Amino acid sequence: MSSKMCVFYGLFVCLMLVFCVSMSTSSRFDELFQPSWAFDHFVHEGDLLKLKLDNSSGAGFGSKNKYMFGKVSIQLKLVEGDSAGTVTAFYMSSEGTKHNEFDFEFLGNSTGEPYSVQTNVYVNGVGNREQRLNLWFDPTKDFHSYSIFWNQRQVVFLVDETPIRVHTNMEHRGIPYPKDQAMGVYSSIWNADDWATQGGRVKTDWSHAPFLVTYKSFEINACECPVSVAGMDNRKRCSSSEDKKYWWDEPKLSELNLHQSHQLMWVRAKHMVYDYCNDASRFPVTPLECLHHRHRLF
């Protein structure tokens, strides 16, 4: 449900709408999202939503509003059985050729193989920052939470509140950081058997269709941005100041705490199977952010 919320120091009160920021929090799909394509591939079962992929189409949805800074979360139960060739995506993205984007892509598997999740970060239209890991549980047997946290200091990808990736603001080193474009929240299921499973060697077996991914507990706790407001104005509007404070700007959220840092190192050491930072064939010159990122493994 969207509501107007204002937080001020001391005895300040919310008297003028210009100082208010709309916040969205909800667990209902229809309050936050709407179908984007293939309406006939949506299946509603009480509080659950299922998206269907068959050999005619996949399906996708997007948020009704755009946001800047905060946290978005969704609970998923991924495609069971032989899901090779399929991709379920959960991501945030702005618009245009110079867009910013934060991606979760869940890559289908052959029966018995581990499910992989690939993350990527686009800044000003440039991606190629893929990291891939094998999940430490079977994501087809139960629901698990997948979240993106974003503020002016860091972007954090989380699985069941365990950080699996951090993209840090290193503008002081001349590296662009996504902080001036409001983003929508999206999810979809689609066929990508040209690359998704073992580099495209394993194709989608349509005899197992339809492939179903199940959703519940949609949460957006973020700064809602009017379409009519320019990017820089939204950034100012969604940032803490002397007159207002927002939870995502709390000092403790400017970096991972010690426990989270240990969790991230565990994920990278035990479950990561690909990191663009270590791919010398693609990047003979190591990307600049990789040289300075504290969580890089050598």
Side-chain angles (χ1 to χ4, degrees), residues 29 34-39 41-42 51-52 57-62 186-189 215:
F29 172 82
Q34 57 193 5
S36 301
W37 49 289
F39 295 4
H41 282 54
F42 283 69
L51 295 191
K52 179 171 63 174
S57 180
F61 60 82
Y186 305 93
S187 188
S188 59
I189 183 171
Y215 300 78

Coordinates of all heavy atoms in Angstrom, one line a residue, residues 29 34-39 41-42 51-52 57-62 186-189 215:
F29 N 0.3 -8.5 -4.9 CA 0.8 -8.2 -6.2 C 0.1 -7.1 -6.9 O 0.7 -6.2 -7.5 CB 0.6 -9.5 -7.1 CG 0.9 -9.3 -8.5 CD1 2.2 -9.4 -9.0 CD2 -0.1 -9.1 -9.5 CE1 2.5 -9.2 -10.3 CE2 0.2 -9.0 -10.8 CZ 1.5 -9.0 -11.2
Q34 N 1.8 -4.9 -12.2 CA 0.8 -5.2 -13.2 C 1.4 -6.1 -14.3 O 2.7 -6.0 -14.5 CB 0.2 -3.9 -13.8 CG 1.2 -3.0 -14.4 CD 0.7 -1.6 -14.7 OE1 -0.5 -1.3 -14.4 NE2 1.5 -0.8 -15.3
P35 N 0.7 -6.9 -14.9 CA 1.3 -7.8 -16.0 C 1.8 -6.9 -17.1 O 1.3 -5.8 -17.4 CB 0.1 -8.6 -16.5 CG -0.9 -8.6 -15.3 CD -0.7 -7.3 -14.7
S36 N 2.9 -7.3 -17.7 CA 3.5 -6.6 -18.8 C 3.3 -7.3 -20.1 O 3.1 -6.6 -21.1 CB 5.1 -6.5 -18.6 OG 5.4 -5.9 -17.4
W37 N 3.2 -8.6 -20.1 CA 3.0 -9.3 -21.4 C 2.5 -10.7 -21.1 O 2.7 -11.2 -20.0 CB 4.3 -9.3 -22.3 CG 5.5 -9.8 -21.6 CD1 6.3 -9.0 -20.7 CD2 6.3 -11.0 -21.8 NE1 7.4 -9.7 -20.3 CE2 7.4 -10.9 -21.0 CE3 6.1 -12.1 -22.6 CZ2 8.3 -12.0 -20.9 CZ3 7.0 -13.1 -22.5 CH2 8.1 -13.1 -21.7
A38 N 1.9 -11.3 -22.1 CA 1.3 -12.7 -22.0 C 0.4 -12.9 -20.8 O 0.6 -13.7 -19.9 CB 2.5 -13.7 -21.9
F39 N -0.7 -12.0 -20.7 CA -1.6 -12.1 -19.6 C -2.2 -13.5 -19.4 O -2.5 -13.9 -18.3 CB -2.8 -11.1 -19.9 CG -2.4 -9.7 -19.9 CD1 -1.0 -9.3 -19.8 CD2 -3.3 -8.7 -20.1 CE1 -0.7 -7.9 -19.9 CE2 -3.0 -7.3 -20.1 CZ -1.6 -7.0 -20.0
H41 N -0.7 -16.2 -19.5 CA 0.3 -17.0 -18.8 C 0.5 -16.7 -17.4 O 1.5 -17.1 -16.7 CB 1.6 -17.0 -19.6 CG 1.7 -17.7 -20.9 ND1 0.7 -17.6 -21.9 CD2 2.5 -18.7 -21.3 CE1 1.0 -18.4 -22.8 NE2 2.1 -19.1 -22.5
F42 N -0.5 -16.0 -16.8 CA -0.5 -15.7 -15.4 C -1.6 -16.6 -14.7 O -2.7 -16.8 -15.2 CB -1.0 -14.3 -15.1 CG 0.1 -13.3 -15.3 CD1 0.6 -13.0 -16.6 CD2 0.7 -12.6 -14.3 CE1 1.6 -12.1 -16.8 CE2 1.7 -11.6 -14.5 CZ 2.2 -11.4 -15.8
L51 N 3.8 -17.8 -12.9 CA 4.0 -17.4 -14.3 C 4.4 -18.7 -15.1 O 5.1 -19.5 -14.6 CB 5.2 -16.4 -14.4 CG 5.0 -15.0 -13.8 CD1 6.1 -14.1 -14.3 CD2 3.6 -14.4 -14.2
K52 N 3.9 -18.8 -16.3 CA 4.0 -20.0 -17.1 C 4.8 -19.7 -18.3 O 4.7 -18.7 -19.0 CB 2.6 -20.5 -17.5 CG 2.6 -21.7 -18.3 CD 1.1 -22.2 -18.5 CE 0.2 -21.3 -19.2 NZ -1.1 -21.8 -19.5
S57 N 5.1 -18.9 -25.4 CA 5.4 -17.6 -24.7 C 5.9 -17.9 -23.3 O 5.6 -18.9 -22.7 CB 4.2 -16.7 -24.7 OG 4.5 -15.5 -24.1
G58 N 6.6 -16.9 -22.8 CA 6.8 -16.7 -21.4 C 5.9 -15.7 -20.8 O 4.8 -15.5 -21.4
A59 N 6.3 -15.0 -19.7 CA 5.4 -14.0 -19.2 C 6.2 -13.1 -18.3 O 7.3 -13.4 -17.8 CB 4.2 -14.6 -18.4
G60 N 5.7 -11.9 -18.1 CA 6.4 -10.9 -17.2 C 5.5 -9.9 -16.6 O 4.4 -9.6 -17.1
F61 N 6.0 -9.2 -15.5 CA 5.3 -8.1 -14.9 C 6.2 -7.1 -14.5 O 7.4 -7.3 -14.4 CB 4.4 -8.6 -13.8 CG 5.1 -9.3 -12.6 CD1 5.7 -8.5 -11.6 CD2 5.2 -10.7 -12.5 CE1 6.4 -9.1 -10.6 CE2 5.9 -11.3 -11.5 CZ 6.5 -10.5 -10.5
G62 N 5.7 -5.9 -14.2 CA 6.5 -4.7 -13.8 C 5.7 -3.9 -12.7 O 4.5 -4.0 -12.6
Y186 N 10.9 -5.5 -11.8 CA 10.3 -6.4 -12.8 C 10.6 -7.8 -12.5 O 11.6 -8.2 -11.8 CB 10.9 -6.0 -14.2 CG 10.8 -4.6 -14.6 CD1 11.8 -3.7 -14.3 CD2 9.6 -4.2 -15.3 CE1 11.6 -2.3 -14.7 CE2 9.5 -2.8 -15.6 CZ 10.5 -1.9 -15.3 OH 10.3 -0.6 -15.7
S187 N 9.9 -8.7 -13.1 CA 10.2 -10.2 -13.1 C 9.6 -10.8 -14.3 O 8.5 -10.4 -14.9 CB 9.6 -10.8 -11.8 OG 10.1 -12.2 -11.7
S188 N 10.2 -11.9 -14.8 CA 9.7 -12.6 -16.0 C 10.3 -14.0 -16.0 O 11.3 -14.3 -15.3 CB 10.1 -11.9 -17.2 OG 11.5 -11.7 -17.3
I189 N 9.7 -14.9 -16.8 CA 10.2 -16.2 -17.1 C 10.3 -16.3 -18.6 O 9.3 -15.9 -19.3 CB 9.4 -17.3 -16.5 CG1 10.1 -18.7 -16.8 CG2 8.0 -17.3 -16.9 CD1 9.5 -19.8 -16.0
Y215 N 5.3 -17.2 -7.1 CA 5.6 -16.0 -6.3 C 4.7 -15.8 -5.1 O 3.5 -16.1 -5.2 CB 5.5 -14.7 -7.2 CG 6.4 -14.7 -8.4 CD1 6.0 -15.4 -9.6 CD2 7.5 -13.9 -8.5 CE1 6.8 -15.3 -10.7 CE2 8.3 -13.8 -9.6 CZ 7.9 -14.5 -10.7 OH 8.7 -14.4 -11.9

